C-alpha cells in the first residue's frame, strides 16, 4: 500500500482558535505546487484521512483540483496536532491488510506527521516536515520511506 503523509500548507498565525487557522497565500501556493508534483504519483485515491482543522481541510480543497476524488474520506480528530498517532498507525496498518494495493493520503499537522512516519517505518525515525511536505511510504511486509519532498525543493 502506498501512503502519502502530508503536512498542511502554511497557515495564518492567529485565529479565534488553533483549529480555525486558515491557509495563507504562501500555504495555498505550497499546496498547489505539491499537488502538481503528486498528480503523476496519485492516479487513483482509495482513502483520504484528514484532520478536521480548517488548514488541513483547505489543503485538501487545493489538492482536490489536481488529484482524483478519494473513494472514501475519513475525518479523524486523531489527526489533530496533539492527536493519537498510535490509533492512526493502527488504522493505516489495518487498511494495508484489507487493501494492500490501496493509495492513501493523510493530511495532518506537526508534530503528528513525523510521529506517523516513525510509527509506520521505525528505522527512519520522525522526520521534520516543512509546511506542505509529503512523505511517501510503501506499507507492506517491509515498510520503507520512499521520499520526503518539500515545496522549496521542487522547481
Amino acid at each position: 500500500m502506498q501512503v502519502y503523509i502530508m503536512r498542511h500548507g502554511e497557515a495564518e498565525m492567529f485565529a479565534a482558535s488553533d483549529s480555525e487557522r486558515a491557509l495563507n497565500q504562501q500555504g495555498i501556493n505550497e499546496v498547489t505546487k505539491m499537488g502538481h508534483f503528486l498528480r503523476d504519483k496519485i492516479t487513483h485515491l482509495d482513502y483520504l484521512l484528514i484532520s478536521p482543522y480548517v488548514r488541513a481541510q483547505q489543503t485538501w480543497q487545493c489538492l482536490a483540483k489536481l488529484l482524483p476524488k478519494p473513494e472514501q474520506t475519513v475525518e479523524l480528530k486523531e489527526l489533530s496536532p496533539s492527536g493519537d498517532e498510535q490509533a492512526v498507525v493502527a488504522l493505516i496498518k489495518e487498511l494495508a491488510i484489507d487493501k494492500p494495493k490501496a493509495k492513501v493520503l493523510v493530511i495532518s499537522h506537526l508534530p503528528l506527521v513525523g510521529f506517523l512516519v516513525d510509527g509506520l517505518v521505525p528505522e527512519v525515525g520522525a522526520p521534520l516536515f516543512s509546511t506542505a511536505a509529503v512523505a511517501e511510504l510503501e506499507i507492506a511486509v517491509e515498510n520503507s520511506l520512499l521520499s520526503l519532498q518539500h515545496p522549496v525543493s521542487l522547481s
Side-chain angles (χ1 to χ4, degrees):
M1 181 171 78
Q2 288 194 298
V3 179
Y4 300 87
I5 298 175
M6 182 175 195
R7 181 181 175 199
H8 61 79
E10 185 177 287
E12 58 191 15
M13 293 300 295
F14 302 103
S17 70
D18 184 45
S19 66
E20 296 175 34
R21 290 176 45 220
L23 294 182
N24 60 25
Q25 189 58 52
Q26 174 65 25
I28 292 167
N29 294 344
E30 292 170 340
V31 172
T32 301
K33 188 175 194 178
M34 193 55 71
H36 285 285
F37 170 76
L38 291 172
R39 186 170 40 192
D40 293 334
K41 292 181 164 290
I42 302 177
T43 56
H44 75 278
L45 187 56
D46 297 284
Y47 299 99
L48 169 65
L49 308 179
I50 187 167
S51 162
Y53 282 31
V54 168
R55 58 193 179 272
Q57 296 287 324
Q58 290 176 325
T59 295
W60 171 246
Q61 290 167 5
C62 291
L63 291 173
K65 298 171 187 170
L66 299 163
L67 299 180
K69 182 179 179 182
E71 290 181 25
Q72 188 171 356
T73 298
V74 182
E75 187 177 290
L76 297 168
K77 64 179 174 39
E78 291 85 355
L79 286 171
S80 62
S82 59
D84 183 353
E85 75 270 6
Q86 292 177 345
V88 178
V89 166
L91 173 61
I92 291 170
K93 288 180 177 180
E94 183 179 313
L95 293 174
I97 292 167
D98 292 344
K99 209 168 180 185
K101 297 205 182 283
K103 288 198 178 198
V104 178
L105 174 61
V106 179
I107 302 174
S108 188
H109 312 265
L110 279 182
L112 195 71
V113 288
F115 295 154
L116 293 175
V117 172
D118 184 43
L120 292 165
V121 190
E123 60 275 9
V124 173
L128 297 175
F129 279 71
S130 64
T131 51
V134 175
E136 179 183 1
L137 293 78
E138 182 72 34
I139 305 300
V141 176
E142 293 184 25
N143 301 334
S144 60
L145 174 66
L146 300 179
S147 69
L148 173 61
Q149 297 294 326
H150 298 266
V152 296
S153 66
L154 301 174
S155 49

